[in-house]
Amino acid sequence: MTAQTKMGGAIIRLGLALALPTAVVASIAVPDTLALAQEAGTTAEERPDWQRKKCDVYARALTEILEHVGREGVSDRFLAQNQAFIDSGCLADVDACPETDDDVEVANGLTIATMNAGAASSFSPFRCRG
């Protein structure tokens, strides 16, 4: 087993561990689909509670994944774009394009954490546009 494979498995396990308690809270905090259908506000202050919770889960998951596996191999641009997304209250149309294998592993962990918390996979800023 390569070091890359071990790291990928560790990130996915961490993403799942981070998301399980949040998924239970999200299912209690958002009892109907109407709350999920609310549109995000145009500023961080106008966001509905559900948008804030998704962003909190995302920010916490990024911090914990990086604390667990380190930043070596994760590109500075990918980290900066993720931070810009978080700083915007998870509202900015940011292209956080995973460029390295480690970027992809972090993106996978973040996607699992947020999806398990009840967010759609389209919530994450992982896009590689021209």
Side-chain angles (χ1 to χ4, degrees):
M1 183 178 291
T2 67
Q4 181 65 32
T5 304
K6 287 181 187 177
M7 181 179 156
I11 289 174
I12 290 172
R13 285 191 303 278
L14 181 60
L16 289 171
L18 290 171
L20 290 178
T22 307
V24 172
V25 170
S27 67
I28 294 167
V30 185
D32 60 30
T33 56
L34 182 59
L36 291 174
Q38 288 179 332
E39 289 187 41
T42 56
T43 67
E45 294 77 31
E46 294 174 343
R47 295 175 300 163
D49 287 342
W50 178 231
Q51 180 72 16
R52 292 174 198 264
K53 289 175 186 172
K54 289 188 293 185
C55 195
D56 290 346
V57 166
Y58 188 90
R60 187 174 68 245
L62 179 61
T63 298
E64 292 183 15
I65 288 169
L66 293 175
E67 286 175 357
H68 182 71
V69 299
R71 294 172 182 252
E72 185 177 333
V74 181
S75 68
D76 290 338
R77 177 170 168 74
F78 183 70
L79 290 174
Q81 292 302 94
N82 275 282
Q83 192 59 53
F85 180 66
I86 292 166
D87 291 347
S88 76
C90 300
L91 296 173
D93 186 21
V94 172
D95 288 352
C97 180
E99 298 172 359
T100 69
D101 289 343
D102 293 327
D103 290 354
V104 171
E105 294 302 328
V106 170
N108 287 342
L110 289 168
T111 300
I112 290 169
T114 55
M115 287 181 67
N116 282 338
S121 61
S122 60
F123 169 77
S124 300
F126 309 129
R127 293 176 270 296
C128 299
R129 298 182 274 200

